[in-house]
Amino acid sequence: MIYLDYQATTPLAPEAREAMLRWLEGPGAGAGFANPSSAHKAGRAAAAAVEVARDQVAALLPKGGRVFFTSGATEALNWALLCGAKAKPGGVAGLSIEHAGSLICLERLGAAILPVDGEGLALAPDAALIPENGIVATMLVNNEVGTIQPVADFAAAAHAKNSLLLCDAVQGYGRVAIPDGPDLIALSAHKIHGPKGIGALWVRDGVDLEPLMLGGAQEQGMRSGTVSPALCAGFGTAAALAAERFDTDAAHVERLWSLAMDMLPQWTINGAATPRYHGNLNVRREGVNGLRLMSDARNVAFSLGSACGSGSGKVSHVLRAMGVSEADARASIRLGWGRYTSEAELRDGLNAIREAARLQGVH
């Protein structure tokens, strides 16, 4: 299997796996399984591992905030929007291309939906649509087309009206610089070679949210429930690796982007080529049936869009928000690569996709 679906999830880094194993060991191996809320030595060691991971995750974020571990980015986004709307009741707004973890919350809250252009880039903030004393959601890197949004501009527009700015940084964290300005930032470990089942919400100092869950007062009293040192350690190690390898990973991604551009000259890119994270290539070809392409190129793992929307039968809401026709949206595929993708793998995967398209009569 050639894996080209890095937006859906990334391979677990070996270093992250090793960091996790220590905190899964049973009796006789250091009691790494201990509850980090326990007062005994093993519990204190587990708690210390959680705090080391918290610092590692925070190192890639703006200064002056707190990291709260969650079960993933969807939980973090729900917490930020649903509780943020209570803290700032003046209204809600968000981009039309937000991930479902934000978009469905925005719809439930009756938010103003902010448009994007045909290149998948947010239009300049319209003061009339920015709420007063409310909350605005603006993702950093779009998960379907990879475009990088002007988060700092929206943060300035929100702050001018005493509103908060929530940034879904899931696809950008560890890959592109996170600008100053957001008040809330949602993250996910498994998009940066960490484990599934853990994410985080970063909250700027001075921003007050209600606790997400009540009970034992874990996570600084904001999210009760026993914390997993293993998941935290995996997330922290993945974040530290992302920081250490930032330039190396970026250069590798650019080489793969150039290779893909050379091999797919007759395909049309969905979304702007820049500003864009070049580990995400969403392309279309007239005459191609994307769903059939996935079946015919079955040894290549790629997607038609967000993994969260797969199986729904609906075309990408991101492509439709950009003005892409339904026919063109159904002829579109999303390819993603990163740290562990070799040039040979990408070349073989693209050749398989081109051959599958040829079998559909597209040359």
Side-chain angles (χ1 to χ4, degrees):
M1 174 64 68
I2 297 171
Y3 188 77
L4 299 178
D5 199 17
Y6 267 55
Q7 279 65 53
T9 195
T10 58
L12 183 66
E15 296 91 339
R17 179 182 180 275
E18 288 302 313
M20 293 170 67
L21 288 177
R22 175 185 174 187
W23 305 105
L24 295 171
E25 293 173 341
F33 65 92
N35 189 321
S37 295
S38 297
H40 48 64
K41 181 179 178 181
R44 293 196 304 274
V50 171
E51 296 312 309
V52 168
R54 197 185 311 278
D55 289 344
Q56 290 171 317
V57 171
L60 282 165
L61 296 168
K63 304 299 181 185
R66 298 165 291 163
V67 168
F68 299 100
F69 288 118
T70 65
S71 67
T74 295
E75 181 182 301
L77 291 166
N78 274 248
W79 183 9
L81 282 168
L82 299 179
C83 292
K86 293 180 181 179
K88 291 282 192 175
V92 184
L95 295 183
S96 58
I97 59 171
E98 293 293 314
H99 185 275
S102 290
L103 194 60
I104 293 175
C105 290
L106 292 170
E107 292 170 351
R108 176 164 292 191
L109 292 167
I113 301 301
L114 308 176
V116 298
D117 63 19
E119 294 287 273
L121 296 169
L123 300 179
D126 182 345
L129 297 177
I130 303 297
E132 184 82 39
N133 194 42
I135 184 168
V136 179
T138 309
M139 68 193 329
L140 179 58
V141 175
N142 182 261
N143 57 302
E144 294 199 30
V145 297
T147 48
I148 299 174
Q149 305 304 319
V151 171
D153 292 346
F154 278 87
H159 295 161
K161 300 187 76 169
N162 194 37
S163 289
L164 301 176
L165 192 285
L166 164 64
C167 178
D168 171 354
V170 169
Q171 297 287 343
Y173 178 72
R175 297 169 172 173
V176 301
I178 296 178
D180 289 328
D183 302 289
L184 303 157
I185 301 175
L187 309 171
S188 179
H190 75 99
K191 304 302 173 106
I192 59 161
H193 306 291
K196 298 172 183 66
I198 185 168
L201 180 65
W202 178 89
V203 181
R204 184 179 293 283
D205 293 341
V207 174
D208 292 321
L209 289 184
E210 290 183 358
L212 177 64
M213 292 188 287
L214 304 177
Q218 289 91 344
E219 282 304 281
Q220 306 165 68
M222 296 294 283
R223 184 187 183 274
S224 293
T226 301
V227 178
S228 168
L231 290 177
C232 291
F235 191 1
T237 299
L241 275 171
E244 177 186 327
R245 296 178 54 94
F246 189 90
D247 291 338
T248 301
D249 285 349
H252 180 58
V253 162
E254 290 298 329
R255 285 193 296 272
L256 297 177
W257 171 271
S258 295
L259 173 61
M261 291 296 96
D262 289 342
M263 292 188 66
L264 300 175
Q266 295 174 310
W267 293 66
T268 300
I269 300 176
N270 290 318
T274 183
R276 184 190 191 116
Y277 171 62
H278 282 172
N280 177 317
L281 177 60
N282 193 307
V283 289
R284 67 180 188 266
R285 184 86 188 276
E286 185 177 355
V288 163
N289 179 304
L291 191 60
R292 180 181 161 194
L293 201 68
M294 290 182 67
S295 176
D296 291 343
R298 62 177 57 89
N299 290 329
V300 184
F302 61 98
S303 72
L304 305 181
S306 172
C308 301
S310 65
S312 68
K314 298 179 180 179
V315 299
S316 161
H317 75 278
V318 173
L319 296 182
R320 296 312 304 271
M322 293 163 52
V324 176
S325 70
E326 181 168 344
D328 282 346
R330 293 191 183 279
S332 298
I333 61 173
R334 184 186 68 179
L335 306 169
W337 49 74
R339 181 183 302 163
Y340 301 115
T341 310
S342 70
E343 293 187 27
E345 283 178 314
L346 180 57
R347 187 177 294 106
D348 290 346
L350 294 180
N351 278 329
I353 289 169
R354 293 195 306 186
E355 174 62 17
R358 188 189 67 77
L359 293 176
Q360 293 186 24
V362 179
H363 299 280

